[in-house]
Amino acid sequence: MKKIKLLSGFIMLFLLIGNSIFSQNNSKGFALLELYTSEGCSSCPPADELLGKIQNEYKDKNVYVLAYHVDYWDKQGWKDIFSNADFTKRQYDYAQFLGKEPIYTPQVIINGKTDYIGSQETSLRNGIKLALSKPAAVDLSLETKQQNDKLSLNYSINGTFKNSHLLIAVVQKSAKSNVKRGENAHRVLSHYQIVQRLQTIDLKVAKGNSTITLPKNFNTQDFEIIGFVQDIKSGAILGVKRA
């Protein structure tokens, strides 16, 4: 009888440890770095290079990089080929969330909560460590299938996602540009994790699907899909996943 009780105790302990590990794996911390940059800004190339370095260093870990090319530098002598007015609006939205104006480049926002000058490596790395130390609020799962120029997306969310959106970023992993005018005239600039599309899905249910139009040059080797859940009232990122 004692042996049975002892064995039962070991089984219960094993299950408790297993559940604890499972819970930790599903709530582990993450860092989503959103860089606001421009080919027309002479302060941006060091930030672009740093974010590329961080992306390569953390590529197998729970750290994600998104680079948004804003359009307010386009009138300063050089139009950024990756610029998008929607990304400028997103940066203005963060200025409201964070209570920090005016907007600037290069700016990095981590998990929608804290901003950093994009070229300051020590501060960024400390921000990443802090973000990774805090568990995710939601667990996001993504499944995708390409059909010609469309991407079929299935998603599921485990956790509280009230007042949130699911954002899907179509990301070009790298590119180079020969800048002929403006502050970076006569330079060949390297870019990393360039957001080409950003689609917003209004979350009403924990599971759903959507269709995304892909860039003409999309291919699975040079691009990737990153999804994240964002609180629309605070701007906080609740969870993120690479498809």
Side-chain angles (χ1 to χ4, degrees), residues 35-52 67-70 72-73 80 91 104-108 117-120 183-184 187 189-192:
L35 168 67
Y36 291 87
T37 184
S38 173
E39 291 182 344
C41 164
S42 61
S43 301
C44 288
D48 294 333
E49 293 287 353
L50 175 57
L51 270 292
Y68 302 95
H69 288 240
V70 296
Y72 50 84
W73 279 96
D80 188 331
Q91 191 180 20
Y104 66 92
T105 54
Q107 181 184 36
V108 172
I117 296 174
S119 55
Q120 294 186 349
E183 291 189 1
N184 290 312
R187 297 183 62 182
L189 303 182
S190 296
H191 304 305
Y192 306 92

Side-chain angles (χ1 to χ4, degrees), residues 76-95:
Q76 305 300 316
W78 176 256
K79 178 174 171 49
D80 188 331
I81 61 172
F82 300 111
S83 65
N84 189 319
D86 290 340
F87 301 157
T88 298
K89 182 183 181 303
R90 180 167 177 79
Q91 191 180 20
Y92 271 112
D93 288 342
Y94 267 129

Side-chain angles (χ1 to χ4, degrees), residues 8-227:
S8 177
F10 277 125
I11 292 173
M12 287 297 295
L13 180 61
F14 176 80
L15 290 174
L16 285 171
I17 293 173
N19 287 335
S20 175
I21 293 173
F22 178 81
S23 176
Q24 289 174 12
N25 286 340
N26 280 275
S27 62
K28 63 183 179 179
F30 67 90
L32 176 65
L33 282 68
E34 297 182 78
L35 168 67
Y36 291 87
T37 184
S38 173
E39 291 182 344
C41 164
S42 61
S43 301
C44 288
D48 294 333
E49 293 287 353
L50 175 57
L51 270 292
K53 175 182 175 182
I54 288 173
Q55 166 69 22
N56 185 62
E57 182 178 334
Y58 285 93
K59 61 184 178 181
D60 297 323
K61 298 179 182 178
N62 223 18
V63 176
Y64 308 81
V65 173
L66 297 176
Y68 302 95
H69 288 240
V70 296
D71 71 340
Y72 50 84
W73 279 96
D74 288 357
K75 297 179 182 179
Q76 305 300 316
W78 176 256
K79 178 174 171 49
D80 188 331
I81 61 172
F82 300 111
S83 65
N84 189 319
D86 290 340
F87 301 157
T88 298
K89 182 183 181 303
R90 180 167 177 79
Q91 191 180 20
Y92 271 112
D93 288 342
Y94 267 129
Q96 293 293 318
F97 288 136
L98 301 175
K100 291 188 175 182
E101 294 188 61
I103 59 175
Y104 66 92
T105 54
Q107 181 184 36
V108 172
I109 299 171
I110 298 182
N111 288 0
K113 298 177 180 179
T114 312
D115 78 310
Y116 302 84
I117 296 174
S119 55
Q120 294 186 349
E121 183 169 358
T122 300
S123 296
L124 270 184
R125 291 190 178 278
N126 287 337
I128 292 170
K129 289 179 182 178
L130 179 62
L132 290 174
S133 70
K134 300 178 180 180
V138 302
D139 183 30
L140 173 65
S141 296
L142 298 174
E143 292 183 0
T144 58
K145 182 178 180 181
Q146 184 180 355
Q147 297 174 326
N148 299 320
D149 64 339
K150 304 291 184 182
L151 190 74
S152 177
L153 171 77
N154 292 316
Y155 63 86
S156 65
I157 300 168
N158 183 20
T160 303
F161 55 89
K162 185 179 179 181
N163 300 317
S164 297
H165 284 160
L166 171 62
L167 291 99
I168 304 297
V170 181
V171 182
Q172 184 175 348
K173 295 179 182 179
S174 64
K176 290 184 181 294
S177 291
N178 186 359
V179 178
K180 298 179 180 180
R181 294 181 298 279
E183 291 189 1
N184 290 312
H186 313 301
R187 297 183 62 182
V188 176
L189 303 182
S190 296
H191 304 305
Y192 306 92
Q193 295 300 104
I194 310 151
V195 178
Q196 293 275 19
R197 297 274 195 282
L198 186 65
Q199 182 159 321
T200 301
I201 300 170
D202 187 16
L203 290 176
K204 295 180 180 179
V205 293
K207 294 183 179 181
N209 56 75
S210 185
T211 301
I212 299 165
T213 301
L214 297 169
K216 292 181 179 180
N217 58 336
F218 180 89
N219 63 78
T220 55
Q221 181 177 351
D222 299 325
F223 287 75
E224 65 180 0
I225 307 297
I226 295 176

